[in-house]
Amino acid sequence: MTSETVASAPGGVRDVVVVGSGPAGLTAAIYTARADLRPLVLEGEPSSTSDQPGGQLMLTTEVENFPGFVEGVMGPELMASFRGQAIRFGAEIETVKATRVDLSARPFGIWVGDPGAAEPTYRARALVVATGARSLMLGVPGEERLLGHGLSTCATCDGFFFRGKPIAVVGGGDSALEEAIFLAKFASSVLLVHRRKELRASKIMQDRAMANPKISFLWDTVVDEVLGDTTLSGLRVHDTVTGESSDLAVEGCFVAIGHVPNTALFAGQLPTDESGYLVTRGGTTTDVPGVFACGDVQDHVYRQAITAAGSGCMAAIDVERFLEADRHSPA
Ligand code: NAP
């Protein structure tokens, strides 16, 4: 296949389309834009979950471990900077969700809007998959009904509503402790409900949470039901050691039990591992030549903003080399 740099109108063939706009996607956009590949970023649509524009950092407060920010930086502010930097170098960003992709032949087809449309909205010689991951849910009765009515996955978004109220946070990792510490600023008390006796979170977060007088811990406890008709009024839990069931009188609950990768768009077209993450080999290469995956959608080990950004950079370099080789290959 031959290639040339072409116009960017919808329906035209792009050099590269980036799906996702967290640290991975926007870093891939910055690098491919600087390589003059005029990337199009499909950043997603606003929602309350982490597959919204900007990704999971839009749902966090202060990021203290992104190198270069001595005093830390707010997650949304950091993502606004990534975005601005990508635009500065010529990346185009559309606030839309990709609804279907066809990776069976190049140029790849990418649909926005009606996935049943005969023709794709965009075609691309290379695709960067940076769709990230989203919050895991408990899967218990009442959860779906009360999400947004006292039940939340985002302390930054909803913490304010729980001023002076007793709340619970479910989980034992860094996210749960980060949420608990943040929420302690608003809530009258924060009960951290964890299914084991040991926390998974890092030592520094454990120390901070345990030193906070508003935070207490309920160990070996699993949530069986989220209670409440139209507003959350409590949690039904059981002790995994004694088997005893009880109701916790809380007015809010934040679920922070980890994440699942956003791979549904690529089902049957890109292989996933046993945990559902996209499989990459030797960097960001997938099993489909010309498709590169980066960030949390393919990383269940590190899952940091900085590693996601690093892999976005790798994806961009992989795209550049792929397109260059493609230009020199026989038609
Ligand atoms: P995580 O480390 O996977 O922890 C998930 C927690 O939820 C675990 O304690 C787990 O229990 C519990 N859990 C999972 N499924 C559950 C279920 N169905 N019911 C009840 N509890 C359940 O996830 P994370 O806290 O979101 O962190 C993800 C990654 O991001 C980590 O690498 C973390 O270090 C990083 N992170 C870093 C920061 C920071 O540095 N400031 C902040 C947030 C996240 P078990 O322990 O029993 O498995």
Side-chain angles (χ1 to χ4, degrees):
M1 174 184 148
T2 57
S3 183
E4 73 227 332
T5 306
V6 291
S8 58
V13 180
R14 311 283 308 216
D15 275 332
V16 57
V17 167
V18 178
V19 186
S21 58
L26 290 176
T27 302
I30 292 166
Y31 272 74
T32 50
R34 292 191 78 251
D36 221 12
L37 295 173
R38 290 192 279 166
L40 171 68
V41 180
L42 306 181
E43 70 173 350
E45 287 165 359
S47 73
S48 59
T49 61
S50 55
D51 59 345
Q52 64 167 331
Q56 294 171 64
L57 285 189
M58 299 302 284
L59 307 180
T60 61
T61 46
E62 195 156 6
V63 181
E64 290 184 332
N65 53 8
F66 200 89
F69 295 89
V70 180
E71 304 299 333
V73 58
M74 298 305 279
E77 195 186 316
L78 181 61
M79 292 324 299
S81 299
F82 270 68
R83 195 175 187 275
Q85 195 174 352
I87 290 169
R88 178 184 158 211
F89 291 113
E92 282 175 53
I93 300 183
E94 299 269 356
T95 309
V96 294
K97 249 186 172 157
T99 52
R100 177 182 156 199
V101 295
D102 178 0
L103 309 181
S104 62
R106 277 191 301 127
F108 305 121
I110 301 124
W111 279 255
V112 162
D114 179 10
E119 287 300 315
T121 320
Y122 300 103
R123 292 181 192 277
R125 298 187 174 88
L127 184 71
V128 174
V129 178
T131 45
R134 66 181 185 283
S135 300
L136 264 173
M137 298 307 290
L138 295 165
V140 297
E143 185 177 54
E144 240 173 76
R145 183 178 72 250
L146 295 167
L147 189 64
H149 303 280
L151 185 71
S152 171
T153 57
C154 175
T156 326
C157 320
D158 301 330
F160 186 80
F161 301 120
F162 298 93
R163 192 175 284 279
K165 294 180 176 172
I167 60 158
V169 171
V170 185
D174 279 325
S175 297
L177 294 204
E178 195 175 69
E179 304 263 279
I181 293 163
F182 177 75
L183 289 163
K185 291 179 193 164
F186 303 96
S188 57
S189 63
V190 179
L191 182 62
L192 191 111
V193 181
H194 183 36
R195 65 182 178 183
R196 292 189 296 138
K197 220 181 221 65
E198 291 96 41
L199 294 168
R200 183 177 293 278
S202 56
K203 175 85 172 58
I204 185 169
M205 296 299 281
Q206 293 197 27
D207 290 347
R208 277 187 204 172
M210 287 180 178
N212 192 312
K214 278 197 186 171
I215 301 175
S216 54
F217 296 82
L218 190 60
W219 307 111
D220 294 321
T221 301
V222 166
V223 177
D224 294 322
E225 188 176 350
V226 183
L227 304 173
D229 217 358
T230 52
T231 310
L232 186 146
S233 60
L235 297 176
R236 182 150 300 154
V237 300
H238 80 266
D239 185 310
T240 58
V241 179
T242 64
E244 223 167 89
S245 205
S246 60
D247 290 354
L248 306 176
V250 290
E251 292 179 41
C253 176
F254 289 77
V255 178
I257 60 170
H259 298 90
V260 275
N262 297 317
T263 56
L265 190 60
F266 311 99
Q269 301 192 69
L270 292 176
T272 52
D273 65 15
E274 63 286 349
S275 309
Y277 288 76
L278 292 185
V279 176
T280 50
R281 301 172 212 285
T284 66
T285 314
T286 68
D287 280 8
V288 177
V291 178
F292 302 90
C294 53
D296 285 11
V297 72
Q298 53 86 56
D299 170 24
H300 55 89
V301 179
Y302 303 105
R303 301 194 308 205
Q304 301 298 301
I306 186 66
T307 51
S311 76
C313 161
M314 290 160 64
I317 292 172
D318 289 342
V319 163
E320 219 181 314
R321 291 183 179 157
F322 172 81
L323 291 176
E324 192 55 28
D326 195 48
R327 279 185 184 106
H328 294 109
S329 68

